Amino acid sequence: MSITTGRKTKRISFNEIGTFLTNTIDDGELLAIGGLFKQGRPLALVREVIRQRLKALKIISSPGSGFDVDLLIAAGCVAETFLPAVTLETQMCPSFRRAVEAGTITAHCVDALSVVGGFLAAANGVPFQPVAAWKGSDVIKHNPLIKEITCPFTGEKLFATKAIRPKLALLHAQEADEFGNIRHLSTMTYADQLIARSADTVLVSVDRIVPSEDIISRPRETSIPCIYVDAVVEIPFGAHPTGSFPNYSIDEDHIDAYAACADAARKGAPDGDRDLQAYIKQHVIAPTDQESYLASVGGTIRMDELVAEAQAL
Amino acid sequence: MSITTGRKTKRISFNEIGTFLTNTIDDGELLAIGGLFKQGRPLALVREVIRQRLKALKIISSPGSGFDVDLLIAAGCVAETFLPAVTLETQMCPSFRRAVEAGTITAHCVDALSVVGGFLAAANGVPFQPVAAWKGSDVIKHNPLIKEITCPFTGEKLFATKAIRPKLALLHAQEADEFGNIRHLSTMTYADQLIARSADTVLVSVDRIVPSEDIISRPRETSIPCIYVDAVVEIPFGAHPTGSFPNYSIDEDHIDAYAACADAARKGAPDGDRDLQAYIKQHVIAPTDQESYLASVGGTIRMDELVAEAQAL
Amino acid sequence: MMTSSTIRNSQDYTPAEMQAVFLSRDLTDGELGAAGASAAIPMAAMLLARLKHAPNLSIAGEMFVNPYPKQLWSSMLDDRALGACEAAETFLELFAHSHRGLDFFFHNGMQIDQYGNINLHHIGGTIDAPIMRGPGAANISYAVTSRRFYICTSVHTKRTFVPKVDFITSPGYLQGPESYHAAGLKYGPKYCVTPLAIMDFAPQTLRMRLKSVHEGVSVDDVIRQTGFDLQIPEHVDITEPPTADELRLLRDVVDPKGLLLS
Amino acid sequence: MMTSSTIRNSQDYTPAEMQAVFLSRDLTDGELGAAGASAAIPMAAMLLARLKHAPNLSIAGEMFVNPYPKQLWSSMLDDRALGACEAAETFLELFAHSHRGLDFFFHNGMQIDQYGNINLHHIGGTIDAPIMRGPGAANISYAVTSRRFYICTSVHTKRTFVPKVDFITSPGYLQGPESYHAAGLKYGPKYCVTPLAIMDFAPQTLRMRLKSVHEGVSVDDVIRQTGFDLQIPEHVDITEPPTADELRLLRDVVDPKGLLLS
């Protein structure tokens, strides 16, 4: 029984991303970003957020974030973060550090369970999630998302973490059909499903659109069903410079070059700010399609290397 | 990197099931049963529960249950049920109905969200799960698993449902490796993962043991990781007469024949009780291995039909 | 109970087909809905709506997303009945759907009362000492959180349609407007669809009201088979029979084995 | 900071290898543990233990179960570093693991104090107006719920080993027995493992105490690099160096690219 006749596509083109963003999130609202650390981050979508000059955003993510958040801060899009860890793993995030130290953004003190518990509560449609695993840390003294609560069965004191409902979630996955059924081929799906189920609107970039028949042939592999997805866009290497396994690996060289540039700016090096803004101009503002972006970061030769690295794992 | 050398197997033989059961659950304790309605129910394990003469059990399950619960009640193993729906779908469960009406078992008044929420809380390691979706039903007036609670953020009144930690969970899946990594091939995995994560001890029957390399080659398809599983046993047609898709379909004829027999007993038909006990003797007590059980229910000819029905879907 | 002899054109379509067709017309493109177990007529209605006028209707909330069954089965909540689908979910997602609600759901009951309350727990006695114990219900939440639900039953008799259910498994309009609002309920049953007729609920009283009778059924037939004082408006329509196109899609595509014919 | 010239037999093994080998010996067969991000040494320790004496050691709690990496990476929390594994989990399961606890976990910090408290948030100023803002920590719960944890750092200096951390990201023994018990804590750090030495915690005071120094390191070296009054027992062992078999497994199987050598 084939009943896709007449069904509306959720696929949008790269050129439509900007309008989709400005239609679904305003300055000052809560934006969620999928992926984890240096993989599965929707960088092509994040760059469009910068090009649309969205301002004063509140940013939340799966508990581990880094490059994209730092770039958004460097570009002046962020007012507040609700991010447990902000790191490039082998080094700190320069623009995050600089902005928090200068007091130009507010980095709320949260941890993994407050963020994941908040997504979980929102996804489940309840106002809070109980958490019993916090003791002794200063994080819980400053965490704005939590309150004490008493278990009505045991009488024990524990915490409630508040439901988190982002205005918009940006995610990246490897495959989807045009109706918005998402499939992660990466071993890790991070918090992407939870974020999709908790956000008001969900936009997903994928490496490849596949036929709906392919999705239906393996339904248990659909990681996010279409009912949680509002739009899907095919962007080859859309996660670059983060990785999209098993398709392409992490471009550590690009991330390191960015970090060196942003760290020089943080340290007040001569031309530091100019060089950082030149990075943003060259790799974010100027390339208004993915082809010109890829050309700006090493083109086919570099992408082939990242594909080969992923295949060798 | 292969590091399975020296690793202990979790595989047990059919003959070891009885000892495993008596070592892990006592009379009067809480037993959880996986699957849903007429599929994926661990019937071979349930029959061993009866053969071991376990008594006064409290039974919980995914929210939809039927044949196995009715059989356990007919065999006199059950004192209390925490089961939202007990039905054969096209007809009621005769022994359940009879026992509740006679007052010989207590059928607690619970629903899907109290059971799933209770498993979820236990799986998450918190003492309760908030539920906000109950209003107007008499079920919540009689549900022993719930209490009122106030949201510390919104002030709204809602419910807390208590963590449920079964002493033992019996599950059925299609494949596993000998280290207890479980793979459901059925589209539906029911509440099996939640039950596995909430129970003290977990025993899983599978249609087929596969090599560990096969599990490792597709890790996203492992439905229950080995860390939640204590023992695994290969039992061909171990879910019969319920289905184990896509391997074999539901034996509706067998279930109907049982139901007719149990319903005659319920109605007090002449020889009704004798016939029901004869069913139990013939299909549960007498067959002490799976081969003789299968011979008692139609043998290879009938199993081939059920395999063919599943393949035709 | 409905018998085939009361249908004028019994050769044309069955009461079950009429029920499925009526329900399908009331489902809107883009909505999200589900049916529970033992729900061949609701599943037929959803599948027919997708084929006919609602290609973007999503079926989800019972652990699978957008099934493509090859035929109808009397149970519609197992792999057999599912055929294929676009995504698998678990009870974890069902927990979430139950809170966030669907656009529509379907219910059935051992007893249905004049306010659309549904009983699947017991008849006579008490819940702890029942004369007759029913199966209970897996999920009582969709009646509360879904924007609307349909009562769909294949039995229309005085035993089923009672003035007041012995136990409210899933709430309809409780004991009318006051109790309904006091309980904090926001939604409720839209139509009650039986082999004889379609009922709705009077906006002021929230009591069940005859809307239309199926071809060959008289208003008196319905009154006779209903155990409470059914509201009868001045004008009662005949339920619009299935069109040739609806019957063709239903029989050729949705229900090729004729489950609703038998 | 440790330099290679302080190692007598630097040609034999590196401090990082010593740390991995020491940690591996303390992991018991059948235990369940995990390391976070940026955890090459802990991952090497777990993999070596599985090869050497703990084939039933399970690695889970960070969204994958039992990884089989082909080599070590400086990050150990992505597909690249994972290689293959037996099952994938998500943050949903991490939420559960964080409550139910592991047998062991590993922590690192910008500051580590004499009670084993760890700071990854800020140095100087306040959390709202820090002089230096650190990365924060993804998961602070394993320090509380895991039966024990190890502090494993590649930096042993007075800047890192401070009397009192400016901010407690993950609690060790807080300000000693009274505050530790008052906070309801039950577990804590077992060893602090650095390129210079192994420290444990004195049972009475819960203060950090030197246990052994690595080959070529003197007690005075350790004291000089530690910014608080490290407890020094009468007898300080030399850390048992890696055996030939341990080094062979580490280099041939666990770390064939020599990440711990550089």
Side-chain angles (χ1 to χ4, degrees), chain B residues 8 227, chain D residues 27-33 53-58 103-104:
Chain B
K8 277 185 216 120
I227 54 174
Chain D
L27 308 179
T28 303
D29 197 22
E31 289 191 311
L32 171 67
H53 63 273
N56 302 292
L57 186 145
S58 297
D103 291 312
F104 60 85

Side-chain angles (χ1 to χ4, degrees), chain B residues 81-111:
Chain B
T81 62
F82 294 85
L83 300 166
V86 186
T87 169
L88 301 173
E89 293 187 273
T90 48
Q91 57 191 309
M92 293 198 235
C93 278
S95 305
F96 170 75
R97 186 181 160 186
R98 180 188 190 183
V100 180
E101 291 168 10
T104 55
I105 70 167
T106 301
H108 293 287
C109 207
V110 298
D111 80 314

